Structure formats: C-alpha cells, structure tokens
Amino acid sequence: MTTLLIAEHDNASIKDATNKTLTAAAALGADVHVLVAGENAKAAADAAAKLAGVKKVLLADNAAYAHDLAEPLAALIVSLAPGYDAFVAPATSRFKNVMPRVAALLDVMQVSEIIKVVSPDTFERPIYAGNAIQTVKSKDAKKVITVRTSTFAAAGEGGSAPIENAAAAADPGLSSFLGEEVAKSDRPELTSAKIIVSGGRAMQSRENFAKYIEPLADKLGAGVGASRAAVDAGYAPNDWQVGQTGKVVAPELYVAIGISGAIQHLAGMKDSKVIVAINKDEDAPIFQVADYGLVADLYQAVPELTDALGKLGK
Amino acid sequence: MKVLVPVKRVVDFNVKVRVKSDGTGVELANVKMSMNPFDEIAVEEALRLKEAGKATEVVVVSIGPAQASETIRTGLAMGADRGILVKAEGNVEPLAVAKILKAVADAEKPGLIILGKQAIDDDSNQTGQMLAALLGWSQATFASKLEVEGSDFKVTREVDGGLQTVKLKGPAIVTTDLRLNEPRYASLPNIMKAKKKPIDDKNASDYGIDLTPHLEVLKTAEPPGRKGGVKVKDVAELVSKLKTEAGVL
C-alpha cells in the first residue's frame, strides 16, 4: 500500500497546498511518495524530500511538464499507477484539470475536494456549495482524490527522503502552451494567506479596489480577494475570486467589504476563523456569518480602518 | 463542424438546498430545477460559434430522468438545433456520464464538445476531463475565451495564478468558466419554435454502460453551522474587538 501525492510547486519551491495535502495523504495510513513534475524542478524536489513523513520523492524533470498541460501530466501519473493504490493532489486549478483525466484512464471515480479522511476508503466532501456534506466510500481499488486544502493543517519539515528520477511518459502531443498572464504580486497567495481582505460589487470600479481595498490589505499583510460580482464587472482579476467556483479559503481573518454574501461566495470563505463584514445594507446576508459586522459606508469606514491600523503600528 | 453540448438538470442556483432529516440526501421534491449555469454558458458559446459561421450544428445532450428533456428544451429555445436525451435514473456518476457521452460522441462525431466546468449540485468538476481522457482528445478546462483555428482551438483558461492560453488539436474538449460569455435568454418565439425541434430518446442501457456507482454515499449531513456575531457601532469598536476579543491583530 503506497500513496502518491502529486505536488503543487513552482519548480523552485513547494507550495503550501502540498504541505496541507500531505496531511490528508498521510491520513490514508500508507507510505507517501511525492511526485514533482516540472522543468528544472530539482529545488522543488529537494524541498519535498524535507517534508515530514515522506518516504520517497519522484522527480519527473522534463519540458513536457513545464506548463501544466493536462494530457502529458495525466499520462505520466498513469504510467506510475501500477506502483500505487492512491493518488492524492490538492484541488488547485492544475489538479482540478488533470486528476479527473487520470481517474478516467484508470477507470475509477475521483473523490473531489475531500475535507476529511474518515478512513482509508471513506471521505467527507462538500456538495451544493457546501450546503451539505456527503460521506462517501470509494469502492475502487485505486483511489484518485483531490483535497480541499483549506481544511487540512500544513505538514512541517523534518524528513530526508531519497529523490529518484522518474522517466517521462510519452507525450500524447494533443495540446501546446501559447502563453500566460500571471499576476506578479508581493502579497500572500489567497489559499495560504493568514488574512484576506475582499471587495464586492459595491466597490464600483477597479480604481476603488486600488484606492480602498489594497491599502487596507497591505496594512494587514493580507491577500486580496473579490466576490464573483466584482470579478464579472471587471473590478478585480479572476484569480482573486473567492467562492464556490473560485478559491476556497479559510484564513484567520476574512474582511468582506461591500460583499452582500451570496451562498456561492459564503461557500468559499465561511470556514474562516474570524469574519468581519462592512456593508451599508444592514440586511445583507453576509452579516449572518460575520463575527463582527459594521453597517457603514465603506468609502468612509475603510480609510478610517486603514488609518486606525496604522496607528496600531500595523 | 458539429458542436456537442452536454447539459445537466440541477437544483436552481437560487434555491438554498435542505438536507433530508434522515441523512439520505438533499430535499429535491418540489424544488425548482434549471439547467446548470455553466452548461448555459456552454450552449451560448456553441451558438456564438454557429452564428459566426464556425459551427454548422449545435446538438445538446442530457443524461438523467425523463424531465431532463425540459433542460434540453431550454437549450433548444436558446437556439440549439436538436437534442439527445439519454434516460438514466438515480445517481449517475461523472465517470458513467463520461462513458455515455463518449458513446454519443462516437456516433455524432463532433469537432468540439463544450461542457460546463462543474455542476452546481455535486460540485465534482470531472466530466469534461474524463470525457477527454476516454476519447483520447485534448482538453482545456475553465475557459474564458475560445477561438477556432481551422480544426484546432486556441483557448484562454482561468488558472490559480491568472490566465493561461493553450492550443488544442481538434477534436477537443473545452469546459466553461464564468467569464466566457453571458448566456442569452430564450425569446418567446424561440421557445415556441423549440417545441418542434427533434429530441432523440435513448436509454443508458442502449450503450451497454454499467451505471453502478463507484462511490457509495453513506450519508448526507448539514454542515456545521456558523452563528452570526455582533454588530459594532464604529471602526474604533471594530479595531478594539479584533485586537482584544478575537486576537487577530
């Protein structure tokens, strides 16, 4: 019995999502090997080898794995399948894309976005935007699982696993990478941020996000999020979206500004430890989940809050 | 080029679902059902390709109970040319859906299949990728832009860090994200016209595919509740509470 964890990384380092997924993978009770597939990804493999409890790291270093293309990465994982009983990956966009392809090639049903390992074959997962929690038992001999990382603690370091090279699988050659627009930001990533400041439709413009939300976020050392309404309106880029179909987050502090609180948004943030809502509509549903609600005009309250934090030495 | 668009009948996105008290599932009796919102985006995109002269025919297919024909009619009223209903009762998992869709695709030979990225009921986000695997086709999930280049496709995808653009060798699978387009409303004349459009009736058994679930649902429960907290009167009180009571500053 061995579990293969497929790592989220940027070739230079391992992403926090991998540490959290390791906690879920270890709960299956078997040895855990980690697959690092990328190009020039030795540094990421070295980092994976240091994770506590990892028995072996497989490094597949090949240009075919440079750009998250689903077809070659799925082929690689399937080529390793005979040695493993479970394939576990974080539910990031990379693995939401590739893991169901792996599952179909292995003729098994993926268990998507688990939030709890009940036993090695039984898991809890949210359905209906988190309005119900299903407990499912997989009858497949090989398990393919994606993990909702916001509900698992990050595994720490302390291991020194050997690193082996994994041979690249034949690239099906079905797709090719043309380009990407990746936002460069010094702010923490949403899925690992301790604090998140999010803006909604009430922000009214991209400029207002920059003028009100971002200074508050920077004062708090926070990541910046947005509701779907704000992203659809073009006030914020798509990678800021928090919700059922965006990113699911669970920071220590979530500050929702001008967000009404549609169930689809709540699905992405209601596991946050402390929720603050600032909205001028006192009946906004966001107040039903907020620990601290402030009914106020955000254009006054947010600069005031930013100032007050400045005075605290933030 | 023919475009195939699978659509799913789901609980309307405005309905707050209730878990049955016996833990066997969610309450579906007398609940408003609609086409999965991401599938509406898929239908819209296919129609736009047809209107731009890039697609010749748009076929919507649904797998589910007899009432799924209403979902197909919605697609036909939006402008799709014809429908295929594959009747299947009970819980049909994404893998089984993908197998049925493969059989439909083998018969229909589309140049492109557009699916919603996930259904808002089971939130699985699997069917498109599984179908691509079974057909051995290229895939681009979470599309926010789709361009046809001969028999190939250029797709911009919404990924965690931003946007990625890939080229797919056709035939291909594309799954839709929210920003791909804004679906049209069906006009009354088109709703009337849709009643005359053909829907081909099939049964899952016609394709000889085993629908036995691989995942056994042991129970369905309410999530742990979250109580609303307090309202603060001003920013000063908020900061004070966050600092002393919540301890997060």
Side-chain angles (χ1 to χ4, degrees):
Chain A
M1 293 285 288
T2 313
T3 297
L4 185 66
L5 186 170
I6 304 98
E8 184 69 48
H9 65 87
D10 60 6
N11 293 317
S13 63
I14 289 288
K15 300 270 188 177
D16 178 61
T18 303
N19 301 51
K20 290 173 171 167
T21 303
L22 175 55
T23 301
L28 297 180
D31 283 355
V32 179
H33 295 179
V34 175
L35 171 64
V36 174
E39 188 182 29
N40 301 322
K42 177 70 169 58
D46 288 341
K50 292 198 186 93
L51 293 174
V54 171
K55 286 283 188 298
K56 193 203 293 187
V57 173
L58 298 176
L59 171 61
D61 212 321
N62 191 290
Y65 311 125
H67 296 296
D68 292 355
L69 295 174
E71 303 88 350
L73 186 51
L76 172 68
I77 297 168
V78 169
S79 76
L80 298 168
Y84 295 96
D85 311 287
F87 303 83
V88 183
T92 53
S93 61
R94 180 196 302 222
F95 295 113
K96 285 179 182 171
N97 187 36
V98 74
M99 296 308 278
R101 192 171 179 110
V102 171
L105 292 172
L106 297 175
D107 195 26
V108 305
M109 248 308 284
Q110 172 174 304
V111 190
S112 291
E113 303 218 19
I114 62 163
I115 56 171
K116 188 175 174 186
V117 177
V118 178
S119 73
D121 64 0
T122 305
F123 312 94
E124 287 185 7
R125 60 175 303 266
I127 55 173
Y128 289 97
N131 284 300
I133 307 295
Q134 217 172 42
T135 305
V136 296
K137 180 176 178 172
S138 169
K139 295 187 278 189
D140 286 314
K142 289 188 191 290
K143 317 266 186 282
V144 175
I145 296 164
T146 64
V147 174
R148 178 166 288 188
T149 52
S150 61
T151 56
F152 290 90
E157 292 193 345
S160 57
I163 300 174
E164 283 178 17
N165 286 313
D171 182 351
L174 294 167
S175 66
S176 53
F177 172 80
L178 294 180
E180 63 188 354
E181 286 173 46
V182 174
K184 292 270 180 287
S185 168
D186 294 333
R187 296 193 184 102
E189 283 180 34
L190 277 179
T191 48
S192 54
K194 297 253 183 303
I195 303 179
I196 292 172
V197 179
S198 278
R201 196 202 306 264
M203 296 316 301
Q204 295 178 325
S205 70
R206 188 98 180 202
E207 292 70 35
N208 283 344
F209 252 87
K211 192 170 160 193
Y212 294 92
I213 302 289
E214 296 182 35
L216 175 58
D218 291 341
K219 193 72 82 182
L220 288 164
V224 179
S227 69
R228 175 192 168 182
V231 176
D232 280 359
Y235 306 160
N238 66 278
D239 49 299
W240 289 7
Q241 189 184 326
V242 171
Q244 180 184 18
T245 63
K247 294 195 172 81
V248 177
V249 299
E252 300 278 306
L253 173 62
Y254 188 91
V255 186
I257 296 171
I259 291 177
S260 62
I263 52 173
Q264 291 81 6
H265 185 75
L266 300 184
M269 45 65 80
K270 68 184 160 82
D271 293 329
S272 304
K273 194 161 153 243
V274 175
I275 296 173
V276 169
I278 301 176
N279 201 303
K280 70 177 177 194
D281 173 11
E282 64 179 313
D283 297 323
I286 190 78
F287 287 122
Q288 290 163 22
V289 300
D291 299 282
Y292 302 105
L294 176 59
V295 180
D297 177 6
L298 72 93
Y299 294 104
Q300 283 175 12
V302 173
E304 226 180 285
L305 179 57
T306 308
D307 277 353
L309 293 169
K311 284 180 189 134
L312 275 180
K314 285 276 166 189
Chain B
M1 176 182 71
K2 186 192 286 184
V3 182
L4 188 67
V5 185
V7 296
K8 185 175 186 184
R9 177 177 183 266
V10 298
V11 172
D12 187 85
F13 78 100
N14 277 313
V15 172
K16 181 158 185 342
V17 299
R18 296 198 184 285
V19 174
K20 286 188 197 167
S21 52
D22 63 0
T24 57
V26 301
E27 194 52 71
L28 295 177
N30 304 314
V31 169
K32 186 183 178 204
M33 306 294 281
S34 300
M35 185 189 291
N36 181 42
F38 289 99
D39 304 350
E40 282 187 340
I41 296 171
V43 173
E44 177 65 36
E45 196 63 18
L47 295 175
R48 290 185 188 189
L49 290 177
K50 191 181 172 197
E51 285 157 3
K54 312 270 178 158
T56 48
E57 189 185 26
V58 176
V59 181
V60 289
V61 52
S62 193
I63 295 155
Q67 298 93 315
S69 66
E70 294 159 20
T71 313
I72 293 174
R73 289 282 170 216
T74 304
L76 298 177
M78 287 173 74
D81 297 292
R82 62 187 171 88
I84 302 169
L85 171 64
V86 183
K87 280 199 207 102
E89 291 298 330
N91 171 30
V92 189
E93 291 175 339
L95 181 62
V97 170
K99 287 178 180 177
I100 294 171
L101 289 174
K102 178 187 185 296
V104 172
D106 285 343
E108 293 284 338
K109 304 201 172 7
L112 174 68
I113 304 178
I114 313 179
L115 305 89
K117 76 165 179 179
Q118 79 190 63
I120 60 165
D121 51 4
D122 63 19
D123 284 334
S124 285
N125 191 340
Q126 297 176 3
T127 305
Q129 298 90 313
M130 287 182 156
L131 179 57
L134 298 178
L135 287 165
W137 291 7
S138 58
Q139 70 179 60
T141 49
F142 326 141
S144 63
K145 192 174 178 196
L146 167 61
E147 293 164 84
V148 179
E149 296 185 336
S151 62
D152 295 345
F153 305 92
K154 186 176 157 187
V155 184
T156 301
R157 307 176 53 231
E158 295 196 355
V159 295
D160 285 343
L163 298 170
Q164 180 198 51
T165 304
V166 294
K167 178 154 185 167
L168 304 182
K169 214 161 112 179
I173 302 280
V174 172
T175 78
T176 63
D177 216 316
L178 296 166
R179 261 70 63 178
L180 185 59
N181 62 50
E182 196 153 319
R184 69 194 66 188
Y185 289 101
S187 67
L188 189 58
N190 284 344
I191 292 171
M192 301 311 289
K193 255 202 292 195
K195 292 186 175 162
K196 297 202 185 82
K197 290 182 180 174
I199 297 181
D200 200 0
D201 262 317
K202 302 272 191 191
N203 281 298
S205 55
D206 298 345
Y207 300 100
I209 288 156
D210 182 7
L211 302 181
T212 312
H214 292 222
L215 301 182
E216 183 187 350
V217 179
L218 300 181
K219 73 172 183 205
T220 305
E222 292 267 3
R226 181 166 190 124
K227 287 203 303 278
V230 297
K231 292 252 172 74
V232 293
K233 64 179 191 307
D234 55 23
V235 166
E237 189 186 353
L238 175 61
V239 171
S240 144
K241 294 247 187 211
L242 288 177
K243 195 161 187 284
T244 54
E245 195 175 277
V248 288
L249 290 182

